[in-house]
Amino acid sequence: MAGGGFCRLPNGTVVVALTLTRPADGSGPYGGTGTAPGAPVRVLVHAANRARALTRLRNLGLRAVYLRGNDRPPTPDEVTAVLHHPDGLLWRGAPQEGSAAPVPPGGPGPQGGQAAPQALPSCQELWRPIRALLGPTGYAGPARPAA
């Protein structure tokens, strides 16, 4: 896993944030986003506890989901986003490590001062429901025999 973390809310529930790789069988070419299959995506889950949050993702077909440590907990903006979504499962493309512009020779800024802040491309991307990541049919679970 690339990184993840959690935060406990005052009512006892948790918000888990994980950076996963985008499944290869997602919806359409790039699913309407700039993230290709295999690209990192940030997934947010709101659940009663950490184990249930990971179980929710595993039940959707994301089998290799583990939370090791708390090195990248959800930001306050991410917590707000997942709390205001009825499903409690969101995703968007994760910013790439080292995607900032290189420093030009002669100094970081135009006058040798501070560099202008560079906006990451995924900062403008909206949060999407988990169904958009898994494809149009989503994951219905294992086939059940007819009763």
mmCIF file of all heavy atoms in Angstrom, residues 27-67:
data_model
loop_
_atom_site.group_PDB
_atom_site.id
_atom_site.type_symbol
_atom_site.label_atom_id
_atom_site.label_comp_id
_atom_site.label_asym_id
_atom_site.label_seq_id
_atom_site.Cartn_x
_atom_site.Cartn_y
_atom_site.Cartn_z
ATOM 1 N N SER A 27 -14.463 1.845 -15.257
ATOM 2 C CA SER A 27 -15.426 2.252 -16.270
ATOM 3 C C SER A 27 -14.738 2.980 -17.417
ATOM 4 O O SER A 27 -14.070 3.979 -17.212
ATOM 5 C CB SER A 27 -16.469 3.162 -15.644
ATOM 6 O OG SER A 27 -15.865 4.326 -15.161
ATOM 7 N N GLY A 28 -14.905 2.491 -18.604
ATOM 8 C CA GLY A 28 -14.464 3.161 -19.819
ATOM 9 C C GLY A 28 -12.993 3.521 -19.817
ATOM 10 O O GLY A 28 -12.242 3.171 -18.913
ATOM 11 N N PRO A 29 -12.547 4.244 -20.856
ATOM 12 C CA PRO A 29 -11.163 4.705 -20.874
ATOM 13 C C PRO A 29 -10.982 5.840 -19.878
ATOM 14 O O PRO A 29 -11.481 6.928 -20.081
ATOM 15 C CB PRO A 29 -10.943 5.142 -22.320
ATOM 16 C CG PRO A 29 -12.299 5.483 -22.816
ATOM 17 C CD PRO A 29 -13.262 4.615 -22.056
ATOM 18 N N TYR A 30 -10.324 5.556 -18.793
ATOM 19 C CA TYR A 30 -10.014 6.493 -17.708
ATOM 20 C C TYR A 30 -11.240 6.907 -16.912
ATOM 21 O O TYR A 30 -11.136 7.699 -16.004
ATOM 22 C CB TYR A 30 -9.294 7.740 -18.216
ATOM 23 C CG TYR A 30 -8.076 7.449 -19.023
ATOM 24 C CD1 TYR A 30 -7.654 8.331 -19.978
ATOM 25 C CD2 TYR A 30 -7.340 6.292 -18.828
ATOM 26 C CE1 TYR A 30 -6.529 8.080 -20.738
ATOM 27 C CE2 TYR A 30 -6.231 6.024 -19.574
ATOM 28 C CZ TYR A 30 -5.820 6.915 -20.532
ATOM 29 O OH TYR A 30 -4.711 6.661 -21.282
ATOM 30 N N GLY A 31 -12.420 6.431 -17.218
ATOM 31 C CA GLY A 31 -13.602 6.729 -16.423
ATOM 32 C C GLY A 31 -13.944 8.198 -16.375
ATOM 33 O O GLY A 31 -14.544 8.663 -15.434
ATOM 34 N N GLY A 32 -13.584 8.969 -17.406
ATOM 35 C CA GLY A 32 -13.895 10.389 -17.416
ATOM 36 C C GLY A 32 -12.917 11.219 -16.620
ATOM 37 O O GLY A 32 -13.122 12.398 -16.429
ATOM 38 N N THR A 33 -11.845 10.604 -16.123
ATOM 39 C CA THR A 33 -10.849 11.339 -15.347
ATOM 40 C C THR A 33 -9.501 11.173 -16.024
ATOM 41 O O THR A 33 -9.361 10.462 -16.990
ATOM 42 C CB THR A 33 -10.746 10.797 -13.907
ATOM 43 O OG1 THR A 33 -10.206 9.489 -13.965
ATOM 44 C CG2 THR A 33 -12.082 10.793 -13.224
ATOM 45 N N GLY A 34 -8.509 11.813 -15.487
ATOM 46 C CA GLY A 34 -7.167 11.697 -16.025
ATOM 47 C C GLY A 34 -6.395 10.540 -15.430
ATOM 48 O O GLY A 34 -5.202 10.445 -15.610
ATOM 49 N N THR A 35 -7.058 9.650 -14.703
ATOM 50 C CA THR A 35 -6.359 8.542 -14.075
ATOM 51 C C THR A 35 -6.550 7.283 -14.888
ATOM 52 O O THR A 35 -7.655 6.810 -15.086
ATOM 53 C CB THR A 35 -6.864 8.310 -12.640
ATOM 54 O OG1 THR A 35 -8.270 8.071 -12.687
ATOM 55 C CG2 THR A 35 -6.585 9.509 -11.771
ATOM 56 N N ALA A 36 -5.473 6.737 -15.379
ATOM 57 C CA ALA A 36 -5.510 5.501 -16.149
ATOM 58 C C ALA A 36 -5.527 4.315 -15.197
ATOM 59 O O ALA A 36 -5.207 4.455 -14.013
ATOM 60 C CB ALA A 36 -4.278 5.441 -17.043
ATOM 61 N N PRO A 37 -5.899 3.137 -15.688
ATOM 62 C CA PRO A 37 -5.818 1.952 -14.837
ATOM 63 C C PRO A 37 -4.395 1.764 -14.313
ATOM 64 O O PRO A 37 -3.427 1.892 -15.048
ATOM 65 C CB PRO A 37 -6.226 0.820 -15.782
ATOM 66 C CG PRO A 37 -7.089 1.483 -16.798
ATOM 67 C CD PRO A 37 -6.506 2.862 -16.975
ATOM 68 N N GLY A 38 -4.288 1.490 -13.038
ATOM 69 C CA GLY A 38 -2.992 1.339 -12.396
ATOM 70 C C GLY A 38 -2.480 2.619 -11.755
ATOM 71 O O GLY A 38 -1.494 2.602 -11.036
ATOM 72 N N ALA A 39 -3.133 3.753 -12.022
ATOM 73 C CA ALA A 39 -2.720 5.023 -11.422
ATOM 74 C C ALA A 39 -3.198 5.072 -9.970
ATOM 75 O O ALA A 39 -4.177 4.427 -9.609
ATOM 76 C CB ALA A 39 -3.318 6.189 -12.209
ATOM 77 N N PRO A 40 -2.523 5.819 -9.118
ATOM 78 C CA PRO A 40 -2.959 5.889 -7.717
ATOM 79 C C PRO A 40 -4.235 6.716 -7.564
ATOM 80 O O PRO A 40 -4.416 7.738 -8.212
ATOM 81 C CB PRO A 40 -1.782 6.560 -7.010
ATOM 82 C CG PRO A 40 -1.081 7.314 -8.068
ATOM 83 C CD PRO A 40 -1.299 6.582 -9.347
ATOM 84 N N VAL A 41 -5.125 6.224 -6.713
ATOM 85 C CA VAL A 41 -6.352 6.939 -6.378
ATOM 86 C C VAL A 41 -6.470 7.004 -4.861
ATOM 87 O O VAL A 41 -5.989 6.127 -4.145
ATOM 88 C CB VAL A 41 -7.606 6.268 -6.987
ATOM 89 C CG1 VAL A 41 -7.614 6.365 -8.493
ATOM 90 C CG2 VAL A 41 -7.739 4.840 -6.543
ATOM 91 N N ARG A 42 -7.075 8.062 -4.373
ATOM 92 C CA ARG A 42 -7.311 8.248 -2.940
ATOM 93 C C ARG A 42 -8.748 7.835 -2.657
ATOM 94 O O ARG A 42 -9.682 8.361 -3.258
ATOM 95 C CB ARG A 42 -7.079 9.716 -2.583
ATOM 96 C CG ARG A 42 -7.229 10.040 -1.133
ATOM 97 C CD ARG A 42 -5.971 9.750 -0.369
ATOM 98 N NE ARG A 42 -6.018 10.432 0.922
ATOM 99 C CZ ARG A 42 -5.224 10.161 1.912
ATOM 100 N NH1 ARG A 42 -4.268 9.283 1.757
ATOM 101 N NH2 ARG A 42 -5.327 10.795 3.041
ATOM 102 N N VAL A 43 -8.934 6.875 -1.769
ATOM 103 C CA VAL A 43 -10.253 6.346 -1.435
ATOM 104 C C VAL A 43 -10.562 6.711 0.009
ATOM 105 O O VAL A 43 -9.731 6.534 0.895
ATOM 106 C CB VAL A 43 -10.277 4.805 -1.615
ATOM 107 C CG1 VAL A 43 -11.630 4.241 -1.239
ATOM 108 C CG2 VAL A 43 -9.931 4.437 -3.039
ATOM 109 N N LEU A 44 -11.782 7.217 0.236
ATOM 110 C CA LEU A 44 -12.246 7.577 1.576
ATOM 111 C C LEU A 44 -13.420 6.686 1.957
ATOM 112 O O LEU A 44 -14.318 6.460 1.141
ATOM 113 C CB LEU A 44 -12.705 9.034 1.616
ATOM 114 C CG LEU A 44 -11.696 10.088 1.222
ATOM 115 C CD1 LEU A 44 -12.348 11.452 1.242
ATOM 116 C CD2 LEU A 44 -10.508 10.062 2.149
ATOM 117 N N VAL A 45 -13.423 6.207 3.199
ATOM 118 C CA VAL A 45 -14.496 5.348 3.690
ATOM 119 C C VAL A 45 -14.915 5.839 5.068
ATOM 120 O O VAL A 45 -14.070 6.060 5.936
ATOM 121 C CB VAL A 45 -14.044 3.873 3.799
ATOM 122 C CG1 VAL A 45 -15.202 2.984 4.191
ATOM 123 C CG2 VAL A 45 -13.417 3.405 2.518
ATOM 124 N N HIS A 46 -16.224 5.990 5.272
ATOM 125 C CA HIS A 46 -16.774 6.335 6.579
ATOM 126 C C HIS A 46 -17.456 5.090 7.126
ATOM 127 O O HIS A 46 -18.303 4.499 6.454
ATOM 128 C CB HIS A 46 -17.777 7.484 6.447
ATOM 129 C CG HIS A 46 -18.372 7.895 7.743
ATOM 130 N ND1 HIS A 46 -19.705 8.126 7.898
ATOM 131 C CD2 HIS A 46 -17.810 8.119 8.957
ATOM 132 C CE1 HIS A 46 -19.952 8.489 9.146
ATOM 133 N NE2 HIS A 46 -18.812 8.480 9.802
ATOM 134 N N ALA A 47 -17.063 4.644 8.317
ATOM 135 C CA ALA A 47 -17.619 3.422 8.898
ATOM 136 C C ALA A 47 -17.574 3.504 10.415
ATOM 137 O O ALA A 47 -17.033 4.449 10.996
ATOM 138 C CB ALA A 47 -16.841 2.205 8.405
ATOM 139 N N ALA A 48 -18.145 2.476 11.042
ATOM 140 C CA ALA A 48 -18.199 2.428 12.499
ATOM 141 C C ALA A 48 -16.812 2.243 13.110
ATOM 142 O O ALA A 48 -16.524 2.773 14.180
ATOM 143 C CB ALA A 48 -19.130 1.316 12.959
ATOM 144 N N ASN A 49 -15.951 1.450 12.462
ATOM 145 C CA ASN A 49 -14.588 1.258 12.939
ATOM 146 C C ASN A 49 -13.685 0.928 11.758
ATOM 147 O O ASN A 49 -14.154 0.773 10.628
ATOM 148 C CB ASN A 49 -14.517 0.181 14.034
ATOM 149 C CG ASN A 49 -15.093 -1.135 13.585
ATOM 150 O OD1 ASN A 49 -14.848 -1.586 12.472
ATOM 151 N ND2 ASN A 49 -15.882 -1.763 14.462
ATOM 152 N N ARG A 50 -12.381 0.820 11.998
ATOM 153 C CA ARG A 50 -11.417 0.590 10.910
ATOM 154 C C ARG A 50 -11.650 -0.740 10.210
ATOM 155 O O ARG A 50 -11.572 -0.823 8.986
ATOM 156 C CB ARG A 50 -9.989 0.648 11.442
ATOM 157 C CG ARG A 50 -9.539 2.056 11.763
ATOM 158 C CD ARG A 50 -8.165 2.053 12.320
ATOM 159 N NE ARG A 50 -8.227 1.589 13.713
ATOM 160 C CZ ARG A 50 -7.197 1.341 14.475
ATOM 161 N NH1 ARG A 50 -5.989 1.501 14.015
ATOM 162 N NH2 ARG A 50 -7.347 0.946 15.709
ATOM 163 N N ALA A 51 -11.953 -1.774 10.970
ATOM 164 C CA ALA A 51 -12.171 -3.085 10.364
ATOM 165 C C ALA A 51 -13.370 -3.067 9.425
ATOM 166 O O ALA A 51 -13.327 -3.637 8.334
ATOM 167 C CB ALA A 51 -12.354 -4.135 11.453
ATOM 168 N N ARG A 52 -14.432 -2.410 9.816
ATOM 169 C CA ARG A 52 -15.613 -2.343 8.948
ATOM 170 C C ARG A 52 -15.354 -1.496 7.710
ATOM 171 O O ARG A 52 -15.896 -1.777 6.648
ATOM 172 C CB ARG A 52 -16.804 -1.793 9.719
ATOM 173 C CG ARG A 52 -17.359 -2.788 10.693
ATOM 174 C CD ARG A 52 -18.653 -2.338 11.283
ATOM 175 N NE ARG A 52 -19.112 -3.293 12.260
ATOM 176 C CZ ARG A 52 -20.213 -3.148 12.962
ATOM 177 N NH1 ARG A 52 -20.956 -2.076 12.801
ATOM 178 N NH2 ARG A 52 -20.568 -4.067 13.827
ATOM 179 N N ALA A 53 -14.543 -0.480 7.831
ATOM 180 C CA ALA A 53 -14.204 0.334 6.661
ATOM 181 C C ALA A 53 -13.456 -0.505 5.631
ATOM 182 O O ALA A 53 -13.761 -0.456 4.434
ATOM 183 C CB ALA A 53 -13.373 1.537 7.084
ATOM 184 N N LEU A 54 -12.491 -1.287 6.080
ATOM 185 C CA LEU A 54 -11.742 -2.144 5.159
ATOM 186 C C LEU A 54 -12.629 -3.257 4.606
ATOM 187 O O LEU A 54 -12.501 -3.635 3.438
ATOM 188 C CB LEU A 54 -10.520 -2.718 5.860
ATOM 189 C CG LEU A 54 -9.500 -1.679 6.323
ATOM 190 C CD1 LEU A 54 -8.371 -2.343 7.089
ATOM 191 C CD2 LEU A 54 -8.970 -0.872 5.169
ATOM 192 N N THR A 55 -13.558 -3.764 5.416
ATOM 193 C CA THR A 55 -14.480 -4.787 4.945
ATOM 194 C C THR A 55 -15.396 -4.239 3.865
ATOM 195 O O THR A 55 -15.701 -4.937 2.896
ATOM 196 C CB THR A 55 -15.304 -5.339 6.123
ATOM 197 O OG1 THR A 55 -14.410 -5.898 7.076
ATOM 198 C CG2 THR A 55 -16.291 -6.395 5.659
ATOM 199 N N ARG A 56 -15.820 -2.994 4.001
ATOM 200 C CA ARG A 56 -16.657 -2.386 2.955
ATOM 201 C C ARG A 56 -15.929 -2.366 1.622
ATOM 202 O O ARG A 56 -16.517 -2.648 0.582
ATOM 203 C CB ARG A 56 -17.052 -0.957 3.341
ATOM 204 C CG ARG A 56 -18.074 -0.883 4.450
ATOM 205 C CD ARG A 56 -18.516 0.535 4.696
ATOM 206 N NE ARG A 56 -19.378 0.966 3.594
ATOM 207 C CZ ARG A 56 -19.855 2.202 3.487
ATOM 208 N NH1 ARG A 56 -19.531 3.111 4.371
ATOM 209 N NH2 ARG A 56 -20.634 2.520 2.476
ATOM 210 N N LEU A 57 -14.641 -2.052 1.630
ATOM 211 C CA LEU A 57 -13.866 -2.045 0.386
ATOM 212 C C LEU A 57 -13.650 -3.460 -0.144
ATOM 213 O O LEU A 57 -13.730 -3.692 -1.352
ATOM 214 C CB LEU A 57 -12.526 -1.351 0.603
ATOM 215 C CG LEU A 57 -12.600 0.154 0.822
ATOM 216 C CD1 LEU A 57 -11.239 0.694 1.188
ATOM 217 C CD2 LEU A 57 -13.158 0.842 -0.401
ATOM 218 N N ARG A 58 -13.396 -4.399 0.739
ATOM 219 C CA ARG A 58 -13.188 -5.784 0.293
ATOM 220 C C ARG A 58 -14.463 -6.368 -0.291
ATOM 221 O O ARG A 58 -14.417 -7.145 -1.242
ATOM 222 C CB ARG A 58 -12.688 -6.631 1.450
ATOM 223 C CG ARG A 58 -11.263 -6.290 1.840
ATOM 224 C CD ARG A 58 -10.752 -7.163 2.971
ATOM 225 N NE ARG A 58 -9.450 -6.690 3.390
ATOM 226 C CZ ARG A 58 -9.140 -6.409 4.646
ATOM 227 N NH1 ARG A 58 -10.015 -6.579 5.610
ATOM 228 N NH2 ARG A 58 -7.942 -5.977 4.949
ATOM 229 N N ASN A 59 -15.607 -6.000 0.254
ATOM 230 C CA ASN A 59 -16.879 -6.488 -0.279
ATOM 231 C C ASN A 59 -17.171 -5.929 -1.665
ATOM 232 O O ASN A 59 -17.983 -6.494 -2.393
ATOM 233 C CB ASN A 59 -18.023 -6.150 0.669
ATOM 234 C CG ASN A 59 -18.001 -6.996 1.915
ATOM 235 O OD1 ASN A 59 -17.339 -8.028 1.971
ATOM 236 N ND2 ASN A 59 -18.710 -6.554 2.937
ATOM 237 N N LEU A 60 -16.542 -4.834 -2.020
ATOM 238 C CA LEU A 60 -16.718 -4.263 -3.352
ATOM 239 C C LEU A 60 -15.769 -4.882 -4.373
ATOM 240 O O LEU A 60 -15.815 -4.535 -5.545
ATOM 241 C CB LEU A 60 -16.497 -2.750 -3.307
ATOM 242 C CG LEU A 60 -17.574 -1.967 -2.571
ATOM 243 C CD1 LEU A 60 -17.139 -0.537 -2.391
ATOM 244 C CD2 LEU A 60 -18.872 -2.045 -3.329
ATOM 245 N N GLY A 61 -14.898 -5.748 -3.942
ATOM 246 C CA GLY A 61 -13.992 -6.417 -4.856
ATOM 247 C C GLY A 61 -12.555 -5.955 -4.761
ATOM 248 O O GLY A 61 -11.695 -6.473 -5.467
ATOM 249 N N LEU A 62 -12.251 -4.995 -3.928
ATOM 250 C CA LEU A 62 -10.868 -4.541 -3.730
ATOM 251 C C LEU A 62 -10.256 -5.413 -2.640
ATOM 252 O O LEU A 62 -10.346 -5.114 -1.460
ATOM 253 C CB LEU A 62 -10.853 -3.055 -3.343
ATOM 254 C CG LEU A 62 -11.519 -2.121 -4.336
ATOM 255 C CD1 LEU A 62 -11.603 -0.719 -3.763
ATOM 256 C CD2 LEU A 62 -10.760 -2.117 -5.643
ATOM 257 N N ARG A 63 -9.657 -6.513 -3.056
ATOM 258 C CA ARG A 63 -9.242 -7.541 -2.102
ATOM 259 C C ARG A 63 -7.982 -7.208 -1.317
ATOM 260 O O ARG A 63 -7.897 -7.476 -0.143
ATOM 261 C CB ARG A 63 -9.048 -8.869 -2.825
ATOM 262 C CG ARG A 63 -10.326 -9.409 -3.400
ATOM 263 C CD ARG A 63 -11.261 -9.801 -2.296
ATOM 264 N NE ARG A 63 -12.523 -10.288 -2.851
ATOM 265 C CZ ARG A 63 -13.661 -10.190 -2.233
ATOM 266 N NH1 ARG A 63 -13.735 -9.618 -1.072
ATOM 267 N NH2 ARG A 63 -14.749 -10.660 -2.774
ATOM 268 N N ALA A 64 -6.989 -6.656 -1.922
ATOM 269 C CA ALA A 64 -5.710 -6.418 -1.250
ATOM 270 C C ALA A 64 -5.707 -5.031 -0.608
ATOM 271 O O ALA A 64 -4.953 -4.152 -1.003
ATOM 272 C CB ALA A 64 -4.554 -6.570 -2.221
ATOM 273 N N VAL A 65 -6.574 -4.837 0.375
ATOM 274 C CA VAL A 65 -6.704 -3.543 1.043
ATOM 275 C C VAL A 65 -6.293 -3.721 2.500
ATOM 276 O O VAL A 65 -6.912 -4.487 3.236
ATOM 277 C CB VAL A 65 -8.155 -3.028 0.952
ATOM 278 C CG1 VAL A 65 -8.301 -1.726 1.691
ATOM 279 C CG2 VAL A 65 -8.555 -2.858 -0.493
ATOM 280 N N TYR A 66 -5.229 -3.023 2.890
ATOM 281 C CA TYR A 66 -4.737 -3.093 4.266
ATOM 282 C C TYR A 66 -4.417 -1.685 4.748
ATOM 283 O O TYR A 66 -4.036 -0.828 3.960
ATOM 284 C CB TYR A 66 -3.473 -3.950 4.353
ATOM 285 C CG TYR A 66 -3.694 -5.369 3.921
ATOM 286 C CD1 TYR A 66 -3.321 -5.778 2.649
ATOM 287 C CD2 TYR A 66 -4.281 -6.287 4.780
ATOM 288 C CE1 TYR A 66 -3.525 -7.076 2.229
ATOM 289 C CE2 TYR A 66 -4.494 -7.594 4.369
ATOM 290 C CZ TYR A 66 -4.120 -7.980 3.098
ATOM 291 O OH TYR A 66 -4.332 -9.257 2.687
ATOM 292 N N LEU A 67 -4.563 -1.473 6.032
ATOM 293 C CA LEU A 67 -4.212 -0.199 6.641
ATOM 294 C C LEU A 67 -3.059 -0.469 7.597
ATOM 295 O O LEU A 67 -3.244 -1.074 8.647
ATOM 296 C CB LEU A 67 -5.411 0.396 7.381
ATOM 297 C CG LEU A 67 -5.192 1.736 8.045
ATOM 298 C CD1 LEU A 67 -4.829 2.789 7.002
ATOM 299 C CD2 LEU A 67 -6.435 2.170 8.786
#
